[in-house]
Amino acid sequence: GYDPAIEALIAEIEDTDAGDAIDLHVFIVEPAATTEQTMAALRAAAGRGVAIQLSIDYTLTSHVSRAWEWTPTYIRQARALGREVDGLTFHERAKADHSKYGLFTRPQGTDTAIMGGINLGDRFRPWRDFALLLRDPAHVAELRAVLQGERDAPAVPPADDAVTFSANLPDLGKLHVAPTFERLLADPR
């Protein structure tokens, strides 16, 4: 659910130190109390010397969604954060990929990640979305490799005990989610 996911996200941000890095990739971000709490945590992390990459979808899809749903966006505030906060880089994504994840790189600790379907904005509280907190370094490394385009989605469903990830990476010309689901649905197991 929304509140536990945001609590986990903020806890992961707060558990970073100088030399660490956060890559937060979000589809929809709206002005809200939980958004402000998350951004305050990012601002504090940057003040501790954490390198932060914040990416928000700013595509035609996002514009249409905002117009259709009559909801505001946090893009203007995120741009200001990118200008005002040393160590925080803001990027407006020009190609829709609908992804939502946070990668937490800790050279002196354990890398973690959060991924799932959670957007930022209080109106998402009642939605039946989810997020996963990955604490196993091998799972985080696998997710990072897929997200960075270093590894493609598996050609066949993985073994029962394996964890693999599939992602659409339009900037790299890799659209793996639909074919991965098709392979899974075709597998009689």
Side-chain angles (χ1 to χ4, degrees):
Y2 184 81
D3 287 322
I6 299 305
E7 289 168 12
L9 174 62
I10 291 172
E12 289 302 307
I13 294 168
E14 290 174 345
D15 190 38
T16 56
D17 291 311
D20 293 349
I22 298 171
D23 181 6
L24 184 58
H25 202 81
V26 187
F27 181 60
I28 298 172
V29 180
E30 297 178 354
T34 51
T35 302
E36 291 304 329
Q37 292 166 348
T38 303
M39 296 306 155
L42 288 172
R43 186 184 296 264
R48 292 191 301 274
V50 177
I52 300 167
Q53 296 284 326
L54 173 61
S55 173
I56 299 175
D57 184 282
Y58 200 59
T59 63
L60 181 59
T61 302
S62 182
H63 291 303
V64 169
S65 294
R66 302 288 59 75
W68 177 259
E69 296 173 345
W70 291 72
T71 56
T73 182
Y74 197 82
I75 292 289
R76 190 179 76 251
Q77 296 94 320
R79 281 186 198 129
L81 275 175
R83 287 189 306 268
E84 298 165 5
V85 178
D86 288 337
L88 189 149
T89 303
F90 173 63
H91 174 70
E92 298 171 23
R93 287 197 314 281
K95 292 184 181 177
D97 63 11
H98 206 74
S99 60
K100 303 158 188 102
Y101 63 84
L103 291 173
F104 302 88
T105 305
R106 299 177 179 92
Q108 303 302 317
T110 302
D111 293 353
T112 57
I114 293 179
M115 60 172 288
I118 304 295
N119 292 300
L120 274 174
D122 292 351
R123 80 176 173 103
F124 301 110
R125 274 194 162 115
W127 290 28
R128 295 181 62 142
D129 274 330
F130 72 96
L132 302 174
L133 173 59
L134 304 176
R135 291 192 172 118
D136 183 306
H139 293 161
V140 176
E142 174 73 16
L143 176 63
R144 179 179 284 115
V146 170
L147 292 173
Q148 293 175 347
E150 297 168 1
R151 186 167 306 132
D152 287 338
V156 295
D160 291 337
D161 62 345
V163 174
T164 60
F165 299 95
S166 179
N168 284 333
L169 305 169
D171 287 341
L172 300 176
K174 297 181 178 194
L175 302 174
H176 296 292
V177 172
T180 299
F181 275 112
E182 289 168 3
R183 285 190 297 274
L184 288 170
L185 291 171
D187 187 327
R189 292 178 291 162

